[in-house]
Amino acid sequence: MTKRIVVDPVTRIEGHLRIEAEVDDSGMIKKASSSGTMVRGIELILKGRDPRDAWAFAQRICGVCTLVHGVASVRSIEDALKYSIPQNAQLIRNLMIAAQYVHDHVMHFYHLHALDWVDVVSALKADPKATSELAQSISKHPNSSPGYFADTQKRVKEFVESGQLGIFANAYWGHSAYKLPPEANLMAVAHYLEALEWQRDVARILTIFGGKNPHPNFLVGGVPSAISVDVEAKGGITGATAVNMNGLLEVRNIIQKMQKFVDNVYLPDTLAIASFYKDWFKIGGGTGNYLTYGDFPTTSMDDIGSFMIPRGAILNRDLSTIHEVNLNDPEQIQEFVAHSWYDYSGGKQQGLHPYEGETELNYTGPKPPYEHLDTDASYSWMKSPRWKGHAMEVGPLARILMLYANGHEQTKELAGFALNKLDLPLEAMFSTMGRTAARTLETKIIADQMMSWMDQLLANIKAGDVRTFNEKLWEPSSWPAQSKGVGYIEAPRGALAHWAVIENEKLSNYQAVVPSTWNAGPRDAQGQPGPYEAALQDNHHLADVNQPLEILRTIHSFDPCIACAIHMIDPNGEEFLKVKVC
Amino acid sequence: MAENDNLGNLLARRGISRRTFLKFCTALASSMALSPSMVPAMAESLAKAKRQSVIWLSFQECTGCTESLTRSSQPSIESLIFDFISLDYHHTLQAASGFQAEEAREQAMAEHKGKYLLIVDGSIPVAENGVYSTIAGMTNLQMLEDAAKGAMAIVAVGTCAAYGGLPKARPNPTGAVSVTDLIDDKPIINIPGCPPIGEVITGVLAHFLTFGAIPELDTVGRPKAFYGETIHDRCYRRTFYDQGLFAETFDDEGARKGWCLYKLGCKGPVTYNSCATTKWNQETSFPIESGHGCIGCSQPDFWDMGGIYEAVSEPLTDLRGPAVTAVVAGAAAGVAVAAMNKQSKQSAKDRHFKVSSETLDEELKK
Amino acid sequence: MTRLQDIPVNTEITGLDAECNMVDAVLHELKQLLDAYLSSGETGVIDIKSMPLSATDYDSLKQRLGNGEISATASLAGDTEIYETALSGVWWVVHRNIDDRVLAEQLEVGRIPAILCAHDDDIRVARERL
Amino acid sequence: MDTALLIWAKSTGLQWATIIMLLGLTMRVIQILLLGRATDLSEARNSDVMSAGIKTIFRRFVPPQGMLQKGLLVYLSGYIFHIGFFIVLLFFVPHIQLIDSTLGISWPGLRSSLIDAITVVTLLALIVLLLHRVWNPVLKLLSTPEDYLTWALTFLPLLTGYMAYHHMLFEYNTMLALHVLSVEALMIAIPFSKLSHMVTLFLARWYNGAIAGRKGVQS
């Protein structure tokens, strides 16, 4: 007999997600489906607008990965118009994207993912002195005295004894799948709180360059933040913009602060927690196919060879062959609707490149509210993106593997160090914990890279180059009557691209294929499952069907961003997005 | 023991002196533009306050408002969660998932009936009976109405919840509306912004906790303490507007010297918010200081208020087409009227036919 | 005690002509607060941080008020600096957080700033600890 | 609410006002032109009729001596109000930005404080003119409701603009919306009231000048 369990809402993610799973008597997941349940129709809202404004709308697809859609958007317009941007603008964008990575990954780990592994209530039983010893044994982080942990424990104790548990109420505390000793739990809780304070501080890089965070500002043709170093006071203000000498020094300080926290807290914590959950390096592997678009150019977006994160595809876990990827090739990236509530004019079995994308709604699912979906027919409002017909996983794991396969020195060294420490083979990366660890490793790599961009920016300014914006194609009257372009970015959650079509100075079509759609999309015509589906099918045994902690671990390891995944659905019909697993 | 516990005792047990607390309240009052003379009374009443039950519902949103909340340093999210409020339901932050999460919400609603504070972010779609957004099988509409019944007051955080925001932008595909559009029997505080400044969100909450009442609001439901003046009024670049010094592009001399961004589309003159004074992320900067004009995100319908890079005084529609049509039509009408005038003049003339003596004779013979 | 007419309010400031309006306003308000204190014992506070003072305004205000006999630092989750200005009974109070960022800045009028006084609740706790 | 009104005023409202104004004005001008003139069969004393007409258009901007002496204040107020109105209209930076965005032409503006002062002077001049109309018995007798209406329609855009700038009465957005709406009311009234002299004055003067010129006299 199988039993169907429902998790709705899935919390500690961006957006609204529902998971249904069928488990057998032993608690093993046999079948699962995930469903996102909110839509806004941003694609329709964008039609007919000024392409230069599109970033602000697109950015509001998501407030967590708050800048990625903005960047993808300005890049798509720049690609369409063949609009080059000054090198300083490129460097500032790199710094902003990198800052977003470090910020987002740390917040994901501590505030969205950690409670899957850390039992807050168990922390009350910890000995602060032993906790201090543990902390000092794994890192040189200064906040590690017995008194520090005693204070944290006292605070948590007060809180629990007050009877009002607030956000910690009703969770799966005491679940048998929690394996950390009380001391490790207490250390993690202390760092949960520390990370809240830290993130507030480091988010300020985006504020200096973008004016605010969340939702910093961008600009087609460069960046909006004029550099005001050494500007005469006459008729103006010295250091009139946020990017003045103080601002630039502040950016340097924050980069150092980021590096320190990653090195002293995030990295050691990940390894420490992972060492107690080594079985999770055997659970939750995905499709085995990985895709990156590449990002962080040292010169320009046209020079793919200069990207720090390389572009490519890996199939069947074979790191020896990297396949070439072309975003404009109509045969490579295609979206399928075989199991989605859409029709294509050429038939449901067809795949379409985003430029030719169609959004013909055809809801054939049961009438809400319903109990179950018919997973043999259509069951999702998400399309299934495929690369040359393959279901691809995108995100930190894909990037770490791509860097590794390309022989990136630091990646090889870091991955080797981590795997060695945990006494695991490289294959262990293809798992739930591998995904979480890859996120930590790439955070370190990117944090370490930031200072070199910063130094280059400062060198340019010293040499008198303060250009941040190219005025040449700003006026819409200078544009061709028709153009189209693709803008892409390696977002923290994976490869993201926006395809824009411009006609007579206005947007006539706008399509985005986002990381969470790549990862969470339903099966295609061939019946190939998407990465969430494949991962949940892999070796998930639930210790307690009423507390399906194991599902949350694997789903959270992808860092779902559901508002992103269903931002664009044309909403003339009902809104359900269902991803069927297995 | 939870019964007679209050914030003052909690702080005392944690070894936080009342001096420190007074300092905290001073900072709070300063950020809320409250009279400093109110601080001692405020500290006394806040010390006696119990942790307020808060239920936070997320509808058509992007989580930007929650992210912004976590950026607040005064008070910080940690102190808010641990000391001031009991955040009994919040999708993005809470540990529990699934039915346990829903249970927590229902429990809080029953236990604190009539006393909990309801916070909403995101707009509510009402087209097609609200199917465009559901949680745990309930539409947002049902969940809001349900939770509003027992709420003491409602706080609409972000422009989406306050005024409909991005989902409501033309052509509003999902029929998105604001909280005020749906609920009319509860006090509602709007904290608009896309997102609002973190300190403004927590500042308004702290005000509510301190005084147990909603602050003074403007005509569109915003606390006057934070939304009383336009960005333009308090902008450090205002003097350049008055002197007629404007940045013409994003990278010219004026842009680097901090001249006014009016011509580049800054919506500061028509936007009520405290970005220019409170600033963002621990007073680091705000959009204009970082070179980009204000996009007007705390105003109702700001997405349709004109292009981001169009000056406030520019028309929102193309006038050239209609103007040409009007001139052509006017010319045609002019010709037609003139022709008609001529005709009637002619016919009037014709009516004055000449009478000769012969015809007169003939007429008389009859 | 300083008599009101003895307060050296000097309105001649060189090189700051355009800026001194705000400073004058603050001085005027101080005068009124001192009046109130002398007549009824009521203390008063001016919130400097929320006033639109320019950097020059701020400096000239500091100059105009000068330094008095007493200064103190209180460690209250970050330092709070307090000093009496050259005007007795007028105190300059700056609250900073642990990152040294200014949280609030005030001019307080009275015998002693409130933040320096111990609260009865704390005194009670102290008694219990003995 | 406030923003909604502003958005309406700046889109639909402005569009219709523009259409009505241009349609009405073109219609009237075409009508006038098509009216034609009776052909003068007499021999012209001066054949350069065109330049005589154009000269008159400008010459009439200068007040005749006697009239100026008789009603100095009224004359002066009239000039101040007309000149002030056009300075404010054409040299306030936001107005230039509006013209630039629709016609693609722009010129340097004046600083806001100067515009502000000119607005006050213009408003005062208009008030003087109104008082003169009310206090002068002859003028009062001659005045029709249309005269008061057109006065108000001219006065309001200046007043609402001034009030919006200084955040008086309502919050800025509402006041700005009222300003735009008052301008639209003025635009709509132009072709259908005596305000159409804005355009027809040139035609009328040209005709007079041309006739006089043909006769070989100055007008």
Side-chain angles (χ1 to χ4, degrees), chain A residues 9 11-12 14 37 39 49 60 63 154 162 166-167 170 199-200 204 207-208 213 235 240 242 468 571 573 575, chain B residues 2 13 51 60 62-63 70-71 78 87 91 95-98 100 131-132 134 194 236 251 259 281 284 289-290 304:
Chain A
T11 57
R12 283 180 284 123
E14 199 295 321
T37 56
V39 63
R49 305 255 178 191
R60 268 73 182 180
K154 195 173 173 194
S162 77
I167 54 167
N170 253 18
Q199 61 86 22
R200 189 156 53 229
R204 289 161 57 236
T207 318
I208 291 168
N213 172 282
T468 46
E575 88 311 338
Chain B
R13 281 205 301 278
R51 282 173 66 219
Q60 281 182 306
C62 73
T63 316
T70 68
R71 309 287 193 274
E78 304 93 285
L87 193 51
H91 266 184
S97 267
Q100 285 96 339
V131 295
Y132 293 122
T134 61
C194 193
Y236 75 111
D251 198 20
W259 290 355
N281 308 92
T284 301
E289 192 173 346
S290 289
D304 296 317

Side-chain angles (χ1 to χ4, degrees), chain B residues 66-321:
Chain B
T66 293
E67 285 281 336
S68 193
L69 174 75
T70 68
R71 309 287 193 274
S72 169
S73 59
Q74 186 63 37
S76 71
I77 178 82
E78 304 93 285
S79 67
L80 203 65
I81 289 175
F82 276 86
D83 304 331
F84 293 99
I85 63 172
S86 177
L87 193 51
D88 292 327
Y89 184 81
H90 187 303
H91 266 184
T92 315
L93 297 172
Q94 79 187 130
S97 267
F99 71 86
Q100 285 96 339
E102 289 307 295
E103 230 172 59
R105 179 173 61 85
E106 280 154 18
Q107 249 169 37
M109 278 167 57
E111 216 170 284
H112 306 284
K113 196 164 184 220
K115 283 184 286 187
Y116 60 83
L117 189 64
L118 180 65
I119 303 184
V120 177
D121 72 328
S123 52
I124 304 101
V126 295
E128 310 285 329
N129 293 320
V131 295
Y132 293 122
S133 184
T134 61
I135 298 162
M138 282 170 97
T139 63
N140 293 168
L141 193 60
Q142 290 162 338
M143 194 175 272
L144 174 64
E145 281 170 353
D146 197 33
K149 273 181 210 142
M152 176 181 187
I154 305 177
V155 181
V157 170
T159 304
C160 295
Y163 308 128
L166 177 61
K168 197 190 165 202
R170 197 187 59 234
N172 191 2
T174 58
V177 300
S178 69
V179 174
T180 324
D181 289 334
L182 297 170
I183 307 290
D184 55 8
D185 58 349
K186 295 282 172 185
I188 299 175
I189 310 171
N190 287 331
I191 311 181
C194 193
I197 302 170
E199 280 79 3
V200 171
I201 305 176
T202 54
V204 174
L205 292 183
H207 183 283
F208 182 81
L209 299 179
T210 313
F211 300 104
I214 63 172
E216 196 190 347
L217 305 177
D218 71 3
T219 53
V220 281
R222 302 176 286 206
K224 280 188 176 167
F226 296 105
Y227 299 91
E229 283 173 288
T230 66
I231 306 254
H232 188 60
D233 287 336
R234 298 305 294 267
C235 182
Y236 75 111
R237 301 192 184 199
R238 172 63 192 258
T239 123
F240 297 115
Y241 172 85
D242 292 335
Q243 289 169 33
L245 293 172
F246 298 92
E248 303 283 341
T249 87
F250 287 94
D251 198 20
D252 63 0
E253 196 197 5
R256 293 196 193 105
K257 283 184 175 172
W259 290 355
C260 179
L261 299 172
Y262 185 91
K263 289 187 176 178
L264 295 172
C266 184
K267 304 291 182 289
V270 289
T271 305
Y272 286 78
N273 205 340
S274 49
C275 301
T277 43
T278 303
K279 301 222 253 179
W280 279 82
N281 308 92
Q282 301 170 53
E283 297 175 40
T284 301
S285 179
F286 73 110
I288 295 167
E289 192 173 346
S290 289
H292 196 286
C294 162
I295 66 169
C297 74
S298 57
Q299 290 302 121
D301 300 321
F302 79 96
W303 291 108
D304 296 317
M305 207 157 70
I308 290 176
Y309 304 103
E310 282 165 20
V312 168
S313 62
E314 292 181 28
L316 300 183
T317 46
D318 178 32
L319 291 180
R320 273 178 271 189

Side-chain angles (χ1 to χ4, degrees), chain A residues 540-559:
Chain A
H540 279 74
H541 179 267
L542 304 185
D544 176 357
V545 291
N546 284 319
Q547 300 196 333
L549 182 58
E550 296 84 354
I551 292 178
L552 293 182
R553 286 179 174 169
T554 293
I555 291 294
H556 281 151
S557 78
F558 283 96
D559 193 2

Side-chain angles (χ1 to χ4, degrees), chain A residues 394-410:
Chain A
V394 298
L397 180 54
R399 285 188 289 257
I400 283 293
L401 293 173
M402 200 62 62
L403 282 163
Y404 195 95
N406 272 277
H408 187 260
E409 277 305 319
Q410 199 192 1

